[in-house]
Amino acid sequence: MDPHPTPEPTTAPARRTRSAEPGDTNVPAPPPGGPSAPDPSWGASAVSPSPSGGAARHGHPVPPVPPAPSRSRARRLLAPVGALAGVAAAFAYVGAVDPNEPGHYPVCPLFRLTGLYCPGCGGLRSAHAFAHGDLPTALGANALAVVGYGVFAVVAVLWLVRAYRGVPTRLAVPPVWWWGIGAVLALFTLVRNLPLGSALVP
């Protein structure tokens, strides 16, 4: 046995090398002027709003929707002219058939049962006299009905003019007006059934 053995050469441990991973792969940057990375916003939306309020599909703007055509003047005048024609026909009938002669029209049920005059009593005789141009007799038969004729004439003319001009008409009566009309009818009924209101009796 050798007293001084020669040391055996030791081999250096193998250097551990890091395995290449997909994330560690070095990708060279594209040269200047070369192809660049795609824009992430490309193809994100195929529909974009158009100035006309619609949507542009596939790059072609949607044409704006044309406004609805307004109604013709003849169609606008149909309602007011029809209402006036109906009222004129009623006045023509009452003017031709005299309500002062019995048997042509029914008797007021309130007057038949109680002998009291309602707000409408004498209205037909008033309309008959008004159709013949006899205003004093019309007022004596039912003065409130004559006032109603005037109010209807004003409303009908305004309705006709607004329809001719194409202005929308909406008749909205506030509740206070309905209460006022009811109070006038009640007062008229009370007065014409009292001795002091004999001038209002038909």
Side-chain angles (χ1 to χ4, degrees):
M1 177 177 295
D2 188 359
H4 301 284
T6 303
E8 297 180 0
T10 60
T11 59
R15 182 176 299 177
R16 298 177 61 184
T17 59
R18 188 174 57 181
S19 61
E21 298 179 0
D24 296 335
T25 305
N26 295 327
V27 179
S36 58
D39 188 0
S41 65
W42 181 84
S45 175
V47 179
S48 60
S50 62
S52 61
R57 299 173 183 268
H58 306 291
H60 300 286
V62 178
V65 178
S70 59
R71 294 192 304 173
S72 63
R73 181 172 296 173
R75 293 187 61 185
R76 295 196 306 265
L77 293 175
L78 184 61
V81 170
L84 287 174
V87 173
F91 267 93
Y93 179 83
V94 176
V97 182
D98 192 355
N100 295 292
E101 299 178 1
H104 295 298
Y105 302 96
V107 181
C108 173
L110 180 64
F111 180 77
R112 171 177 288 181
L113 295 176
T114 64
L116 298 176
Y117 296 101
C118 75
C121 283
L124 291 175
R125 281 173 277 180
S126 174
H128 177 80
F130 190 82
H132 287 273
D134 190 356
L135 187 59
T137 303
L139 288 171
N142 194 319
L144 195 60
V146 176
V147 175
Y149 305 154
V151 173
F152 175 79
V154 172
V155 173
V157 169
L158 291 177
W159 186 13
L160 192 64
V161 171
R162 291 172 69 90
Y164 181 82
R165 295 179 177 177
V167 181
T169 303
R170 185 179 63 179
L171 183 61
V173 181
V176 64
W177 282 91
W178 290 115
W179 284 104
I181 293 172
V184 170
L185 291 175
L187 182 62
F188 179 74
T189 304
L190 177 64
V191 171
R192 76 185 320 197
N193 285 283
L194 295 177
L196 57 91
S198 58
L200 301 177
V201 175

